[in-house]
Amino acid sequence: MSKPFSVLGKPTPREDALFKVTGKMDYLADMTMPGMLFGKLVRSPYPNARVVRIDATAALALPGVKAVVTAADMPNRKIGFRFDNRPLHTKVSCVGDAVAAVAAVDEETAREAAELVQVEYEPLPGVFDPEQAMEPTSPLVHTEQWMDVAGKQVVPRTNNIAVHYHFEHGDPDAALKQCDVVVEEKFTVPFVTTATMETHATLSVWDPAGNLTVYTPTQAPHLFQKEMAEALGISGAKVRVIGTPIGGSFGKNLEAHPFEIVTAVLARKTGRPVKMSFTRQEEFIGSRPRQPHVMYVKTGATKDGKLQVRVCRAILDNGSYNSWGALTPLVTMQSFTSMYQVPHSRYDGYVVYTNNPYSGSMRGYGNPEAVWAIEQSMDMLAEKLGMDPIEFRLKNVNQENEVTPQGMKITTCNMDKCIEVAAERIGFKAKRGEQKQPLRGVGLASLIHVGGGARIYKSDGSGMIVKLDDFGRVTVLSGASDMGQGSDTTMAMIVAEELGVSVDDIRMVSRDTALVPWDTGVHATRATFVCGNAARLAAQECKRQLLAAASEQLGIPADDLDVRDRMVFQKSNPKNRTAYDKIVRGLHFRQNGNVIIGHAFYDPPTEMQDSQYMGNISATYLFGAQAAEVEIDPDTGRVKVLKIVAVHDVGTVLNPPSLEGQVDGGVMMGIGYALQEELKLDQGQILNATFREYGFPSVLDAVPVEKVFLEGGDPLGPFGAKGIGEPATVPTAAAIANAVADALGVRITDAPITPEKVLKALRQRAEQSPQVATAEE
Amino acid sequence: MSKPFSVLGKPTPREDALFKVTGKMDYLADMTMPGMLFGKLVRSPYPNARVVRIDATAALALPGVKAVVTAADMPNRKIGFRFDNRPLHTKVSCVGDAVAAVAAVDEETAREAAELVQVEYEPLPGVFDPEQAMEPTSPLVHTEQWMDVAGKQVVPRTNNIAVHYHFEHGDPDAALKQCDVVVEEKFTVPFVTTATMETHATLSVWDPAGNLTVYTPTQAPHLFQKEMAEALGISGAKVRVIGTPIGGSFGKNLEAHPFEIVTAVLARKTGRPVKMSFTRQEEFIGSRPRQPHVMYVKTGATKDGKLQVRVCRAILDNGSYNSWGALTPLVTMQSFTSMYQVPHSRYDGYVVYTNNPYSGSMRGYGNPEAVWAIEQSMDMLAEKLGMDPIEFRLKNVNQENEVTPQGMKITTCNMDKCIEVAAERIGFKAKRGEQKQPLRGVGLASLIHVGGGARIYKSDGSGMIVKLDDFGRVTVLSGASDMGQGSDTTMAMIVAEELGVSVDDIRMVSRDTALVPWDTGVHATRATFVCGNAARLAAQECKRQLLAAASEQLGIPADDLDVRDRMVFQKSNPKNRTAYDKIVRGLHFRQNGNVIIGHAFYDPPTEMQDSQYMGNISATYLFGAQAAEVEIDPDTGRVKVLKIVAVHDVGTVLNPPSLEGQVDGGVMMGIGYALQEELKLDQGQILNATFREYGFPSVLDAVPVEKVFLEGGDPLGPFGAKGIGEPATVPTAAAIANAVADALGVRITDAPITPEKVLKALRQRAEQSPQVATAEE
């Protein structure tokens, strides 16, 4: 596509880059306020226990301690996505549940005081395996269910199934019988955590009029405002949320957490600002991991290579409470029913309570899990059909103008092209064929993901206000939340492009509920598409005002004027031009003067899914494919990723380095998911709560990532763009698993593919003729 | 006037009141930032000297000192209102001029380091009396004049007259000859200072991209942005100004000061945030006082009691540099030419350089000075005419639809009513007549002042953005600067009234150049009128959107809907009503949703005065009168103010306690001006730089102030309102002087009327028959 852009498409440093590389970025942990106290939680070492007694005498006697709070100090309201949690507990359901909290003049005193709080527990038997937890004889993690924040409609619980998602399309059972090949397999993915550089932190300040300001690295300030208000039993009108720079989030800051509510209560009680931040160990224990899944998948095809049916029964370890993470089966379901054309499907997702740490939302939100199973199944089907796995996929790709079984209306779609390019660039055919080398393999996986908003809340919109000052400086009060993905820069580029100015002229202000128009928050890869459209519309309004002013000042009809590269010019005589800021001052500095302000709210044409999970949830869908080449070390069992090719349909490239960074980061996260990362639990206790032991990929593990961006231009996207945030990490692990299977001749279906599992598979292969097998530890 | 208001006119606590009375207001002095340094100036003890040598060795050797800067580190640009000043000097022109500055890790170290900077001065002879300074033989304070910031057009100086203002109307010399009575008198007013609780402070932070953020208690953020940028030689687009809570200002924070520029340079040099704040002593030395005036006034009337002519030659002690204060003769001139109808007038104002501390702008801005002379002259004329001074005034009051000699178009005018009511309430007639008691007296003075903006800058406008959130919370991004006068609350009330919500629903955000639309800043009593109109217009736009949404949701035509007391209701059936925030959510939480945002910019229909000082500078004018009753203690000479009656034409009372507070504060300031305050100087050295020695009125000196507000409703004012900020202090001192003259029978024309002067006058009275005399110390 030819690019008429003067700003977009050109490599543009992120506005926070200089701050970060020079160490000048002040995170919440750096913030101080006059009179500020530090809070600390007293956490349960038991996964399931009743609190018998709390004695705060010694803690309160420590000089500098200003308050100790327990559950009795908390508003009598349940919290969390399904109202099953409390800020502080009298009965704990997982290790790390807090039973009390302290506030003291400095962090060290707070820590010491927390240790001085004497808590007597009565330990209870727990349940730690989700499949076991589903059995009727299993002890109940919760005995009742609240239907809303006020505790109305308390329903007794009879089992540990927090939610059951069920969707069926066509006649999957009949279809399975009619298939020529059927693959049945169990796939598992583990607990993994975001392991962000910044640990959880919050700062609460009440003003004398009873207004609360919360400083937080949230991804979704407006939803956070509502959650905090509900948890505290006050109106949302009383709560202001100010987003602080995010040192990594990936979903962990999508919702309010118990410690944030506790901190607000400590601040209210002491009448002083209170800050709380987690140690690294607390972060492992108290941050929300990605759900472990067990997926029993049956899938079948006819010998012509047409996919016929896909059935999945998924069990998710929810841990002790529901968070937004309990909603991830909606995404998993979409991939099982709608990724590749599959006429018959059934998805059953069981979100099951255990006494493990409770899981949350994390980049991809159920989709890397789904693709781990789906794309391995595709390879297995192809193998059974004796068909090239690329050819098999291409026979079944999604198409433009398709409506999927769940009612998702696909508009633009480059899935075939993504797969073809990824396969070609990795050298798929050759490396599987005559160039096949022992213990080397190639694999591929693709994806479908929402990319034009995702109406999971009553509004899917975003707003922007754009204001110009006398120096031409443009302030954007932006609904978009930059969580490190660079959306502030993308929004600035969109406004600059539309308004004909430079990115340096733009100042982004975002993530302050008092200042910026409403936005759902960053999730579902929506910022570029939804917020980008709002930014463009608001900038268009400013441009209209600018050209009207120029028309009056220059005596040229507005429709013969345009603005580009900071100059207003006459279209019919481009040499006739004036600096845009001069026009702005000309409008302002006169009698009856005016200033330029524009605003817009963009709500994408999306539908909320109905109770049958039907609805066009997004205004566009994202496609992509990644291919991996791996090599196995036969001595250590280590899988070395030699290369990743990542091909994504992005509509239009807005900021090349930002896009590339998203893909590099997503791929690295996928490599960790495939090969290394697992939060290891024993009876609810995390065994590897340090960076060293958890072992996510570091820069030393970085691999070459060849990035290809397909640009078709989405008709609804801003300047044709779609998002990329989550998709970049969705197919990586599955592509690697397929490559490992190709290298080993043995398929390992439970992530991560650790050296131990590989060595076991190598032994297995040596013992028997190579064939597909499930590696089990 | 009947009041249809639901919010306005009702006593409403200021939104900052709770913060202030609970000690929760964090001023700039309370602020900290990660890595923040403290700055300190090295000030000259000499009023006129050349800097021979600066040795920073010892200062730099002190642990914790991060930088020492001198004039060589400053941008080579002149600063100040007429480009005659420097941030740091190589030749000082007044005591307190800074020659160097340090930045260190804490305030104590900074102070110590400043003392360690060795400065060698070569003292020069100075000039300290403005009349002396005007003589051709006097040494020049400045030898050259820069015409702009870049130093273009340097003009050699031949005298110490910084500016000469001249205006003449009619034929004053001929008129004087034709008058039946003429009064000729010298009036003087002293150096007084704002003596605010908060001392000057500033905090500068540079980001790695070269953007500067300045935290400052400025009254005029947008002008400050421009001044800082010019002083630093960078674009205003690079400067963000964030106003901090103001602990008293009264004009002192109208413009940027040298120490703020020095602090920004220290921050740039060290790469860290730098804060500087003044000690109380520095505040006396380094803050800008009100100009001392010597006014030679001739005024005459015909025996029919018609005022014919007024001539004034005023000499202002400008001190060593020009600030915005050098513009105050524009206001003084207006009162001399346009207060009461006077067909012939001449004003010559000489702003004269001396080696005294340089003066600035202070509440009333030249008008209390003018009225001190004018209203005493009026009494003197009346006495000579043998006419009651009230009757004399009423014969000459300004009138509606009058155009004054300078082209000021008076629309609404209650001057006669103000005088009548003030006289009546103080019991003027009786207390001057049969009830006359020895050593007691009554006096009266009135005023004219701009009240509908004052176009002294290229724009006289103000902007507002109003945004509603889902909880109905209304954010107002307000151009208005609350400097303690309560304008945030007034703006909130105006928006609440117009939008039909409660003041508690409003959140004000102001004084941040990045966020709020442009505004000239608080000066000239303009906030209520100008910003209030902008607030009303922006709220009207939101109301339009709200009623349109309600119309759609309720199926009722928008013109049959209104909103009041937080409810949207059907005008033809008021019981049919819905909470406004429900309408807002109904608009938002749906497909194709929207949010409510409105904005407006109001530029009053004002004119900049031309080079002949002609032009309708304001959209409306303020009138008022104050009457004082005093009692003289014959033993101590102390003047006790028994009562003040303050009658002001305010158009419409918006917030009664706020209005009353403005008048109470203004009157107290006027009492200080009349009786107590004077910054005493000897050879440029301030002799009384402490609260105790300076001796402004404290709460113990408070007197009963009877406040009467006349409400006529201004056709252009928001809901009919005019301002009150400055007028409240304008006539007080003159009214007291007239009352003292009545009590003593001797007139004291040089403020303040100290016990010493009164005792001298009493002695004088005893020695001779009582008659008008000038008290001289």
Side-chain angles (χ1 to χ4, degrees):
Chain A
M1 193 176 99
S2 78
K3 283 199 183 155
F5 300 141
S6 69
V7 174
L8 295 172
K10 299 194 167 64
T12 304
R14 275 161 46 171
E15 60 157 30
D16 56 354
L18 262 174
F19 289 80
K20 286 178 175 169
V21 299
T22 57
K24 298 268 183 200
M25 183 65 96
D26 291 328
Y27 294 92
L28 184 41
D30 303 305
M31 272 186 76
T32 58
M33 287 212 159
M36 187 178 84
L37 302 174
F38 293 78
K40 201 77 195 164
L41 297 179
V42 180
R43 293 177 180 275
S44 167
Y46 299 100
N48 201 14
R50 227 182 312 276
V51 176
V52 179
R53 207 170 50 86
I54 298 180
D55 183 353
T57 318
L60 283 166
L62 187 70
V65 174
K66 299 296 176 191
V68 177
V69 292
T70 66
D73 297 286
M74 297 295 124
N76 185 25
R77 304 171 89 82
K78 294 260 190 172
I79 60 167
F81 181 64
R82 284 181 198 271
F83 312 113
D84 56 7
N85 202 350
R86 295 267 192 190
L88 293 177
H89 299 269
T90 53
K91 188 255 158 193
V92 300
S93 301
C94 69
V95 169
D97 261 0
V99 299
V102 304
V105 291
D106 57 46
E107 204 160 3
E108 214 166 291
T109 307
R111 205 175 299 184
E112 201 180 330
E115 281 164 17
L116 287 174
V117 175
Q118 304 291 322
V119 187
E120 190 184 319
Y121 295 95
E122 179 199 339
L124 301 169
V127 57
F128 305 101
D129 177 87
E131 292 188 87
Q132 217 169 57
M134 286 174 77
E135 311 219 333
T137 55
S138 192
L140 291 179
V141 175
H142 296 288
T143 54
E144 59 182 37
Q145 180 174 9
W146 281 25
M147 300 308 283
D148 66 20
V149 66
K152 304 282 164 55
Q153 304 175 50
V154 178
V155 178
R157 285 212 149 272
T158 56
N159 61 46
N160 284 320
I161 297 169
V163 208
H164 172 206
Y165 295 89
H166 172 76
F167 179 82
E168 189 164 325
H169 182 256
D171 187 343
D173 295 319
L176 276 169
K177 286 177 194 145
Q178 284 154 21
C179 283
D180 297 309
V181 292
V182 167
V183 163
E184 187 170 350
E185 187 57 75
K186 175 187 178 186
F187 297 92
T188 63
V189 285
F191 265 125
V192 294
T193 192
T194 57
T196 56
M197 289 300 107
E198 183 188 30
T199 60
H200 276 295
T202 186
L203 169 57
S204 270
V205 193
W206 293 86
D207 74 19
N211 293 293
L212 170 66
T213 300
V214 186
Y215 296 84
T216 159
T218 182
Q219 299 172 219
H222 286 94
L223 294 187
F224 192 96
Q225 175 189 16
K226 184 168 180 284
E227 284 175 277
M228 285 299 284
E230 284 181 355
L232 294 164
I234 60 177
S235 162
K238 291 278 191 192
V239 179
R240 177 178 185 172
V241 176
I242 300 181
T244 53
I246 298 180
S249 186
F250 309 110
K252 80 167 194 182
N253 292 313
L254 185 58
E255 65 203 302
H257 299 94
F259 80 97
E260 290 159 325
I261 298 152
V262 173
T263 304
V265 172
L266 281 171
R268 186 159 57 183
K269 183 162 184 171
T270 57
R272 290 166 67 167
V274 178
K275 184 162 87 170
M276 192 182 286
S277 66
F278 285 9
T279 62
R280 178 58 58 194
Q281 207 198 0
E282 277 187 293
E283 178 76 8
F284 272 100
I285 293 168
S287 187
R288 310 274 65 85
R290 194 192 284 278
Q291 298 80 357
H293 279 59
V294 180
M295 291 168 281
Y296 296 95
V297 177
K298 271 191 244 183
T299 177
T302 41
K303 59 187 170 192
D304 58 352
K306 291 300 279 183
L307 190 61
Q308 295 298 337
V309 57
R310 195 185 283 141
V311 171
C312 173
R313 183 169 177 271
I315 297 105
L316 285 75
D317 188 347
N318 197 40
S320 49
Y321 308 103
N322 281 298
S323 76
W324 267 94
L327 226 70
T328 56
L330 291 176
V331 175
T332 313
M333 176 196 289
Q334 278 160 28
S335 288
F336 272 101
T337 65
S338 305
M339 180 178 170
Y340 300 112
Q341 293 184 334
V342 49
H344 307 275
S345 59
R346 181 165 61 233
Y347 174 83
D348 284 283
Y350 298 90
V351 178
V352 182
Y353 283 123
T354 66
N355 292 108
N356 287 326
Y358 61 107
S359 41
S361 55
M362 190 169 156
R363 193 178 192 179
Y365 203 75
N367 209 1
E369 298 89 320
V371 170
W372 175 258
I374 292 168
E375 282 290 32
Q376 291 203 66
S377 298
M378 290 295 281
D379 262 23
M380 291 161 80
L381 274 179
E383 192 178 345
K384 272 204 170 179
L385 286 166
M387 194 176 274
D388 173 72
I390 304 302
E391 191 192 335
F392 175 56
R393 282 179 172 82
L394 290 174
K395 276 182 186 287
N396 293 287
V397 287
N398 296 105
Q399 305 281 359
E400 289 195 356
N401 303 319
E402 177 188 340
V403 179
T404 80
Q406 285 187 258
M408 292 149 65
K409 292 174 189 153
I410 295 171
T411 53
T412 53
C413 175
N414 266 330
M415 195 186 201
D416 52 355
K417 192 86 188 292
C418 290
I419 292 171
E420 283 166 5
V421 173
E424 185 201 318
R425 296 285 179 102
I426 202 77
F428 199 90
K429 200 160 273 191
K431 287 173 183 168
R432 284 246 172 157
E434 61 267 26
Q435 287 172 33
K436 176 85 184 110
Q437 295 184 38
L439 294 177
R440 278 211 181 187
V442 288
L444 179 142
S446 71
L447 80 118
I448 179 173
H449 203 80
V450 292
R455 196 174 286 267
I456 52 150
Y457 191 68
K458 295 168 283 180
S459 172
D460 197 10
S462 184
M464 297 273 163
I465 300 171
V466 177
K467 162 184 103 71
L468 273 67
D469 79 8
D470 296 331
F471 308 97
R473 187 81 188 230
V474 182
T475 294
V476 181
L477 296 164
S478 162
S481 280
D482 197 323
M483 58 187 270
Q485 87 282 39
S487 68
D488 272 356
T489 306
T490 306
M491 296 305 122
M493 292 174 78
I494 288 172
V495 170
E497 182 70 46
E498 189 65 44
L499 200 47
V501 302
S502 140
V503 173
D504 293 338
D505 295 317
I506 313 285
R507 174 189 283 117
M508 297 300 300
V509 176
S510 58
R511 299 173 61 236
D512 182 333
T513 57
L515 302 180
V516 304
W518 198 87
D519 181 86
T520 327
V522 195
H523 72 100
T525 310
R526 67 189 283 284
T528 296
F529 188 96
V530 179
C531 311
N533 270 316
R536 190 178 186 186
L537 291 168
Q540 275 170 355
E541 168 58 20
C542 289
K543 180 176 171 178
R544 192 193 59 70
Q545 294 172 28
L546 178 68
L547 296 187
S551 171
E552 196 188 330
Q553 290 172 43
L554 306 174
I556 298 169
D559 58 11
D560 190 23
L561 289 168
D562 204 350
V563 53
R564 195 183 164 99
D565 298 333
R566 316 184 81 238
M567 302 301 279
V568 173
F569 63 95
Q570 186 171 11
K571 287 194 276 189
S572 60
N573 176 19
K575 284 184 183 165
N576 185 7
R577 56 194 209 139
T578 309
Y580 82 102
D581 55 317
K582 199 178 161 191
I583 301 291
V584 172
R585 286 190 294 273
L587 173 66
H588 181 197
F589 293 136
R590 62 171 198 191
Q591 278 186 287
N592 198 18
N594 208 344
V595 296
I596 292 178
I597 298 171
H599 62 89
F601 189 78
Y602 176 76
D603 192 5
T606 54
E607 299 167 0
M608 239 177 156
Q609 285 182 345
D610 63 20
S611 61
Q612 304 304 303
Y613 306 111
M614 293 291 296
N616 187 36
I617 194 168
S618 187
T620 193
Y621 296 88
L622 303 175
F623 298 91
Q626 293 184 4
E629 184 176 10
V630 303
E631 184 174 42
I632 312 286
D633 182 324
D635 298 323
T636 64
R638 282 202 63 163
V639 176
K640 187 178 178 191
V641 178
L642 300 174
K643 183 182 180 180
I644 298 283
V645 174
V647 185
H648 292 276
D649 174 18
V650 296
T652 304
V653 175
L654 299 185
N655 189 15
S658 184
L659 191 55
E660 288 165 16
Q662 281 287 72
V663 175
D664 285 332
V667 164
M668 286 304 286
M669 192 174 259
I671 291 173
Y673 200 41
L675 303 176
Q676 294 171 246
E677 294 184 45
E678 179 172 10
L679 216 48
K680 288 189 183 134
L681 287 161
D682 180 22
Q683 298 286 306
Q685 303 281 354
I686 297 174
L687 303 177
N688 55 344
T690 65
F691 271 0
R692 176 172 291 274
E693 293 168 295
Y694 179 69
F696 56 78
S698 80
V699 70
L700 298 175
D701 301 299
V703 305
V705 181
E706 185 177 338
K707 292 161 287 271
V708 182
F709 300 115
L710 303 182
E711 297 183 89
D714 188 86
L716 293 179
F719 299 97
K722 303 178 173 186
I724 189 65
E726 295 174 291
T729 202
V730 168
T732 317
I736 291 171
N738 283 339
V740 169
D742 180 39
L744 279 180
V746 180
R747 182 165 293 277
I748 298 174
T749 57
D750 63 324
I753 301 172
T754 58
E756 294 79 4
K757 293 178 192 172
V758 171
L759 287 175
K760 188 174 166 188
L762 283 169
R763 280 196 303 275
Q764 199 178 344
R765 187 173 74 157
E767 284 161 17
Q768 59 192 9
S769 60
Q771 55 179 245
V772 174
T774 306
E776 278 172 17
E777 241 180 334
Chain B
M1 192 175 100
S2 76
K3 281 200 184 157
F5 300 142
S6 69
V7 173
L8 294 172
K10 299 193 166 64
T12 303
R14 273 160 47 171
E15 60 157 31
D16 57 354
L18 262 174
F19 288 81
K20 286 178 174 169
V21 299
T22 58
K24 298 271 183 197
M25 184 64 97
D26 292 328
Y27 294 92
L28 184 41
D30 303 306
M31 273 185 76
T32 58
M33 288 213 159
M36 188 178 85
L37 302 175
F38 293 78
K40 202 79 196 163
L41 296 179
V42 179
R43 293 176 181 276
S44 167
Y46 299 101
N48 201 16
R50 227 183 311 277
V51 176
V52 178
R53 205 171 51 87
I54 298 180
D55 182 353
T57 318
L60 283 166
L62 186 70
V65 174
K66 300 297 176 189
V68 177
V69 293
T70 66
D73 298 285
M74 298 295 125
N76 184 24
R77 302 171 91 79
K78 294 261 191 173
I79 61 167
F81 181 65
R82 284 183 197 269
F83 312 111
D84 55 8
N85 202 349
R86 295 267 191 191
L88 293 177
H89 299 270
T90 52
K91 187 256 161 192
V92 300
S93 301
C94 68
V95 169
D97 260 0
V99 300
V102 304
V105 291
D106 56 47
E107 203 160 1
E108 214 167 292
T109 307
R111 205 174 300 184
E112 202 180 329
E115 282 165 15
L116 288 174
V117 175
Q118 306 290 323
V119 187
E120 190 185 320
Y121 296 94
E122 179 200 340
L124 301 170
V127 58
F128 305 102
D129 176 88
E131 293 186 88
Q132 214 169 61
M134 285 174 77
E135 313 219 333
T137 54
S138 193
L140 291 180
V141 176
H142 296 288
T143 53
E144 59 182 36
Q145 180 173 10
W146 279 25
M147 299 308 282
D148 66 20
V149 67
K152 303 281 166 55
Q153 305 175 48
V154 179
V155 177
R157 286 210 148 274
T158 55
N159 60 47
N160 283 320
I161 298 167
V163 207
H164 172 206
Y165 295 88
H166 173 75
F167 179 82
E168 189 164 326
H169 182 256
D171 187 344
D173 295 321
L176 276 169
K177 285 176 196 147
Q178 286 154 20
C179 282
D180 298 306
V181 292
V182 167
V183 163
E184 186 169 351
E185 185 57 75
K186 175 186 177 187
F187 298 92
T188 62
V189 285
F191 265 124
V192 293
T193 191
T194 57
T196 57
M197 289 299 108
E198 184 189 29
T199 60
H200 276 296
T202 185
L203 169 57
S204 270
V205 193
W206 293 85
D207 76 17
N211 292 294
L212 170 66
T213 300
V214 185
Y215 296 84
T216 160
T218 181
Q219 301 173 215
H222 286 94
L223 294 188
F224 192 96
Q225 175 190 13
K226 183 167 180 285
E227 283 174 278
M228 284 298 284
E230 284 182 355
L232 293 164
I234 60 177
S235 163
K238 290 278 188 192
V239 180
R240 176 178 185 174
V241 176
I242 298 181
T244 54
I246 297 180
S249 187
F250 309 110
K252 79 168 194 181
N253 292 311
L254 185 59
E255 65 204 301
H257 300 93
F259 80 97
E260 291 159 325
I261 298 152
V262 173
T263 305
V265 172
L266 280 171
R268 186 160 58 183
K269 182 160 187 176
T270 57
R272 290 167 67 167
V274 178
K275 184 163 88 172
M276 192 182 288
S277 66
F278 283 11
T279 62
R280 178 57 58 194
Q281 207 198 0
E282 277 187 293
E283 179 74 10
F284 272 99
I285 294 169
S287 187
R288 309 275 65 84
R290 193 192 286 277
Q291 296 82 356
H293 278 59
V294 179
M295 291 169 281
Y296 296 96
V297 177
K298 270 191 245 181
T299 177
T302 40
K303 57 187 171 192
D304 58 352
K306 291 298 280 182
L307 189 61
Q308 295 298 338
V309 57
R310 196 185 282 141
V311 171
C312 173
R313 182 168 177 272
I315 297 105
L316 285 74
D317 187 346
N318 197 40
S320 49
Y321 309 104
N322 281 298
S323 76
W324 267 93
L327 227 70
T328 56
L330 290 177
V331 175
T332 313
M333 175 194 291
Q334 278 160 28
S335 288
F336 272 101
T337 64
S338 305
M339 180 176 169
Y340 301 111
Q341 292 184 336
V342 50
H344 307 277
S345 61
R346 179 164 63 231
Y347 174 83
D348 283 283
Y350 297 91
V351 179
V352 183
Y353 284 123
T354 66
N355 293 108
N356 289 325
Y358 60 106
S359 42
S361 54
M362 191 170 156
R363 194 178 192 178
Y365 202 77
N367 210 359
E369 297 88 322
V371 171
W372 175 259
I374 292 168
E375 282 290 32
Q376 292 201 67
S377 300
M378 290 295 281
D379 262 22
M380 292 161 79
L381 275 179
E383 194 180 342
K384 272 203 169 178
L385 286 165
M387 196 176 273
D388 173 73
I390 305 302
E391 191 192 335
F392 174 56
R393 282 179 173 83
L394 290 174
K395 277 184 187 285
N396 295 286
V397 286
N398 296 104
Q399 305 281 358
E400 290 194 356
N401 302 319
E402 175 189 343
V403 178
T404 81
Q406 285 188 258
M408 292 149 65
K409 292 175 188 151
I410 295 172
T411 54
T412 53
C413 176
N414 266 329
M415 195 185 200
D416 51 355
K417 192 85 186 293
C418 290
I419 292 170
E420 283 165 5
V421 174
E424 184 201 318
R425 295 287 179 100
I426 203 76
F428 200 91
K429 200 159 276 191
K431 288 173 183 168
R432 284 244 172 160
E434 62 268 25
Q435 288 171 31
K436 177 84 183 112
Q437 295 183 36
L439 294 177
R440 277 209 182 187
V442 288
L444 180 141
S446 71
L447 79 119
I448 179 173
H449 203 80
V450 293
R455 196 174 286 268
I456 52 150
Y457 191 68
K458 295 169 282 180
S459 172
D460 196 11
S462 184
M464 297 274 163
I465 301 171
V466 177
K467 162 184 102 72
L468 274 67
D469 80 6
D470 296 332
F471 307 97
R473 187 81 188 230
V474 182
T475 295
V476 181
L477 297 164
S478 163
S481 280
D482 197 323
M483 59 186 269
Q485 87 280 43
S487 69
D488 273 356
T489 305
T490 306
M491 296 304 123
M493 291 174 78
I494 288 172
V495 171
E497 182 70 46
E498 189 65 44
L499 200 48
V501 303
S502 140
V503 173
D504 293 338
D505 295 316
I506 313 285
R507 175 189 283 115
M508 296 302 299
V509 175
S510 58
R511 300 173 60 235
D512 182 333
T513 57
L515 302 180
V516 305
W518 198 86
D519 181 87
T520 328
V522 196
H523 72 100
T525 310
R526 67 190 284 283
T528 295
F529 188 96
V530 179
C531 311
N533 270 316
R536 188 176 188 187
L537 291 168
Q540 276 171 355
E541 169 58 19
C542 288
K543 179 176 172 177
R544 193 194 59 71
Q545 294 173 28
L546 178 68
L547 295 186
S551 171
E552 196 188 332
Q553 289 173 44
L554 305 173
I556 298 169
D559 57 13
D560 190 22
L561 289 169
D562 203 349
V563 55
R564 194 182 166 99
D565 298 333
R566 315 183 82 239
M567 303 300 279
V568 173
F569 64 95
Q570 186 171 10
K571 287 194 275 190
S572 59
N573 176 20
K575 285 184 181 165
N576 186 9
R577 57 196 210 135
T578 309
Y580 82 103
D581 54 318
K582 199 177 162 192
I583 302 291
V584 172
R585 286 189 294 273
L587 173 67
H588 182 198
F589 292 137
R590 63 171 199 191
Q591 278 186 285
N592 197 19
N594 208 344
V595 295
I596 292 179
I597 299 170
H599 62 88
F601 189 79
Y602 176 76
D603 192 4
T606 54
E607 298 168 1
M608 238 174 154
Q609 286 183 344
D610 62 19
S611 59
Q612 304 305 304
Y613 307 111
M614 292 293 296
N616 187 34
I617 194 168
S618 187
T620 194
Y621 295 87
L622 303 175
F623 298 90
Q626 293 184 4
E629 183 176 11
V630 302
E631 184 174 43
I632 311 285
D633 182 324
D635 297 324
T636 64
R638 281 200 64 163
V639 176
K640 187 178 177 190
V641 178
L642 300 174
K643 183 181 179 180
I644 297 283
V645 175
V647 185
H648 292 275
D649 174 18
V650 297
T652 304
V653 175
L654 300 184
N655 189 16
S658 183
L659 192 54
E660 288 164 17
Q662 281 287 74
V663 175
D664 285 332
V667 164
M668 285 303 287
M669 193 173 258
I671 291 175
Y673 199 41
L675 302 176
Q676 296 172 247
E677 294 183 45
E678 179 171 12
L679 215 50
K680 289 188 182 136
L681 287 161
D682 179 23
Q683 298 287 306
Q685 304 281 353
I686 297 175
L687 303 177
N688 55 345
T690 66
F691 271 1
R692 175 172 293 272
E693 292 168 295
Y694 179 67
F696 54 79
S698 79
V699 70
L700 298 175
D701 301 299
V703 305
V705 181
E706 184 178 337
K707 293 162 286 270
V708 182
F709 300 114
L710 303 182
E711 296 182 90
D714 189 86
L716 292 179
F719 297 98
K722 303 177 172 186
I724 188 64
E726 293 174 293
T729 203
V730 168
T732 317
I736 291 171
N738 284 338
V740 168
D742 180 40
L744 280 180
V746 180
R747 182 165 294 277
I748 300 174
T749 57
D750 62 327
I753 302 173
T754 58
E756 294 79 4
K757 293 179 194 170
V758 171
L759 288 174
K760 188 172 168 189
L762 282 169
R763 279 196 304 273
Q764 198 177 346
R765 189 174 73 156
E767 285 162 16
Q768 61 192 4
S769 62
Q771 55 180 246
V772 176
T774 306
E776 272 172 21
E777 240 178 338

